[in-house]
């Protein structure tokens, strides 16, 4: 009769998960705060676009609309990448994509550069950050606490949607559109640091792999033979 020895499928790649879980929850909280804070700040940038480039109301809303549409379109793709390559790599990649988009838009400074880099690149980066930030939670919490941990992490969005627009408005008033966009890239890079704390797996603690070993009597017999050979 074969016996089954169970072991967690992510013990080899995560640190001590039960002690690390609160750090993971705090990192996910921070990722949600920054990302949703930028998403809720599209109206502030719309006003800045309109005043800086003397645009119509439709054109001033275009970069923000492209950003949100790109984020929604890339969400499914982000989940596939998180499953295949891990939540850490996906989150850090999204942070760098958004930071590069902010830097390119600020350096070029053209309206269409904001549509292309600020809209598409930042939108794609937001999808690569938000989806893994939620998928990172289950691998550190037991099933009966996953929902509480996920809700606590996602609640960072409420803090970010209140605080980040105030910060960006201050940067726009102090440094202008290009300066605020360039400084915003620093916030995206900080999200990459938070994402580097995530583990690789997305499987919950209860899901375990099983390894089939030979019959127990055979294992016992083999152990006795090894002990006898050591004595000899």
């Amino acid at each position: 009769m074969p016996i089954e020895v169970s072991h967690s499928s992510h013990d080899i790649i995560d640190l001590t998960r039960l002690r690390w879980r609160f750090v993971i929850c705090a990192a996910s909280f921070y990722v949600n705060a920054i990302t949703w804070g930028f998403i809720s700040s599209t109206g502030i940038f719309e006003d800045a676009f309109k005043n800086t480039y003397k645009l119509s109301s439709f054109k001033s809303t275009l970069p923000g609309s492209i950003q949100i549409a790109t984020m929604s379109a890339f969400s499914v793709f982000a989940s596939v990448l998180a499953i295949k390559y891990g939540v850490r790599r996906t989150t850090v990649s999204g942070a760098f994509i958004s930071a590069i988009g902010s830097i390119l838009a600020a350096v070029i400074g053209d309206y269409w550069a904001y549509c292309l880099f600020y809209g598409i690149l930042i939108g794609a980066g937001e999808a690569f950050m938000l989806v893994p930030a939620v998928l990172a939670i289950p691998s550190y919490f037991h099933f009966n606490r996953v929902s509480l941990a996920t809700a606590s992490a996602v609640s960072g969005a409420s803090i970010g949607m209140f605080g980040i627009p105030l910060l960006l408005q201050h940067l726009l008033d102090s440094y202008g559109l290009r300066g605020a966009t360039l400084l915003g890239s620093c916030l995206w890079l900080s999200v990459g640091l938070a994402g580097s704390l995530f583990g690789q797996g997305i499987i919950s603690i209860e899901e375990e792999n099983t390894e089939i070993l030979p019959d127990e009597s055979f294992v016992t017999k083999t152990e006795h033979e090894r002990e006898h050979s050591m004595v000899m």
Side-chain angles (χ1 to χ4, degrees), residues 133-149:
V134 176
L135 295 179
I137 299 297
S139 58
Y140 289 87
F141 290 86
H142 291 285
F143 179 76
N144 59 344
R145 294 188 178 180
V146 168
S147 58
L148 177 61

Side-chain angles (χ1 to χ4, degrees), residues 21 24-26 28-30 32 36 130-157 204:
R21 55 189 175 184
I24 299 300
C25 191
S28 180
F29 181 95
Y30 183 79
N32 278 280
W36 282 108
L130 285 177
V131 175
V134 176
L135 295 179
I137 299 297
S139 58
Y140 289 87
F141 290 86
H142 291 285
F143 179 76
N144 59 344
R145 294 188 178 180
V146 168
S147 58
L148 177 61
T150 303
S152 300
V154 175
S155 66
S204 63

